[in-house]
Amino acid sequence: MSRRSSRPRRAPAPAALTDLSPCPCGLPAAYGACCGRFHSGRSEAPTAELLMRSRYSAFAAHDEGYLLRTWHPATRPDGLELDPSMHWSGLEIADTADGTAFHSTGTVTFRARYRHHGRRGALCERSTFERVNGSWMYVDGAFIE
């Protein structure tokens, strides 16, 4: 188990997201070299934490296709209706358990900050991930306080 707390960075607005933009997930890399490579299909997230970060970035970028592609087939909804007025503004990883190349399951606990209709808020969740045919997939999550 590891505990990480990185200083959250403000996520760029979806319209402003380019390969050279700071990545919304908060890692110190440009979007194209970080989560953008997963969104485009150039590579797959090698750990549950990187998949979780890339899914957060997909929410920030309103990338419904990526979110559905990385959702476990057993729990995947038929579709998503992403609210265009939802602006994701920062991600903090609180804890990870398993979820590496040596595991078949993993969990990631995080806090995602957002702004919706001018109001600020945060979503705290413990997400569960599982490998399906070698690829990490989001299974489900439990909200936490």
Side-chain angles (χ1 to χ4, degrees):
M1 231 184 333
S2 68
R3 183 166 178 84
R4 260 180 233 136
S5 180
S6 59
R7 185 175 179 193
R9 281 192 290 174
R10 171 165 275 159
L17 200 56
T18 69
D19 278 355
L20 300 177
S21 298
C23 193
C25 82
L27 291 177
Y31 170 73
C34 195
C35 294
R37 64 193 165 121
F38 305 136
H39 295 175
S40 70
R42 292 189 312 261
S43 52
E44 290 188 2
T47 66
E49 179 182 337
L50 285 176
L51 179 65
M52 202 291 309
R53 286 180 177 277
S54 70
R55 286 178 55 83
Y56 169 84
S57 292
F59 274 105
H62 301 285
D63 187 345
E64 179 181 334
Y66 182 76
L67 292 166
L68 291 172
R69 282 193 312 275
T70 58
W71 211 309
H72 194 286
T75 57
R76 180 186 305 133
D78 292 332
L80 296 174
E81 291 184 30
L82 300 178
D83 185 342
S85 63
M86 180 69 90
H87 177 76
W88 295 96
S89 57
L91 175 68
E92 299 168 54
I93 302 298
D95 191 46
T96 61
D98 300 333
T100 71
F102 303 105
H103 302 105
S104 59
T105 62
T107 61
V108 179
T109 305
F110 66 92
R111 176 184 171 97
R113 291 180 290 115
Y114 62 86
R115 197 170 56 247
H116 189 243
H117 297 295
R119 294 190 137 154
R120 295 180 189 277
L123 177 137
C124 299
E125 181 179 300
R126 179 172 296 111
S127 295
T128 304
F129 299 87
E130 183 179 314
R131 279 190 187 269
V132 175
N133 298 323
S135 298
W136 284 106
M137 304 292 266
Y138 170 78
V139 177
D140 59 18
F143 295 119
I144 55 176
E145 302 257 343

